[in-house]
Amino acid sequence: MLVRFTVLSLDSDSGYNAGILVAAHKLRDEGNLTVEEHRQLRLCLKWFNDELEIPTILKEPEHRRAISWFKSEAKEPIAKMWELKKVLIEHGIHVEVLHTIDPGVVVYEDKWQVIAKPQKRLRSQ
């Protein structure tokens, strides 16, 4: 099982809901935060910057639609995502937690994450 944390805004590349890391950066930089909330966001985002691999494959144009999912065994990163979710919700940002066993065509995988291009959506006729 894979898990993804998203907000309601759309990612322009994938066409799917954006992940919460982008929303957390924006809230950290532009939000009306308490000192403690700012510290918590800063520490969580630093942890992700230090610990989570950002594969270079995502810079390739043919993979711009790819989205990231955490593996269920990625306990530490998922716990950090729950921390971010709590702060975002407290500031009125809706966060959804999605689960799947079929993320699409996998273009990258490591010990914590799977990055995949979702299957194309069917158009109604």
Side-chain angles (χ1 to χ4, degrees), residues 109-123:
E109 184 173 352
D110 63 29
K111 67 180 181 176
W112 282 339
Q113 63 186 333
V114 168
I115 298 176
K117 292 193 280 188
Q119 301 297 328
K120 290 187 179 183
R121 296 178 182 159
L122 297 175
R123 291 185 176 169

Side-chain angles (χ1 to χ4, degrees), residues 93-109:
I93 300 169
H94 179 77
V95 176
E96 292 195 2
V97 181
L98 309 174
H99 296 87
T100 190
I101 57 171
D102 182 14
V105 178
V106 175
V107 297
Y108 175 85
E109 184 173 352

Side-chain angles (χ1 to χ4, degrees), residues 23-122:
H25 277 96
K26 184 175 180 181
L27 181 61
R28 181 202 59 198
D29 296 342
E30 301 172 6
N32 186 16
L33 301 170
T34 67
V35 171
E36 178 55 28
E37 289 170 332
H38 190 273
R39 185 186 74 76
Q40 185 178 13
L41 280 179
R42 191 182 75 250
L43 289 174
C44 275
L45 293 171
K46 180 181 180 340
W47 185 91
F48 279 107
N49 286 338
D50 292 346
E51 302 296 332
L52 190 65
E53 178 76 22
I54 300 173
T56 57
I57 195 168
L58 291 177
K59 293 179 182 172
E60 297 173 12
E62 66 269 21
H63 298 305
R64 68 180 176 76
R65 288 185 46 245
I67 57 177
S68 301
W69 296 84
F70 284 110
K71 296 177 178 180
S72 57
E73 58 269 16
K75 303 296 185 203
E76 192 171 7
I78 291 172
K80 295 287 185 189
M81 294 300 268
W82 282 106
E83 286 181 44
L84 291 177
K85 179 182 187 285
K86 181 180 178 206
V87 176
L88 291 170
I89 287 173
E90 288 173 3
H91 287 271
I93 300 169
H94 179 77
V95 176
E96 292 195 2
V97 181
L98 309 174
H99 296 87
T100 190
I101 57 171
D102 182 14
V105 178
V106 175
V107 297
Y108 175 85
E109 184 173 352
D110 63 29
K111 67 180 181 176
W112 282 339
Q113 63 186 333
V114 168
I115 298 176
K117 292 193 280 188
Q119 301 297 328
K120 290 187 179 183
R121 296 178 182 159
L122 297 175

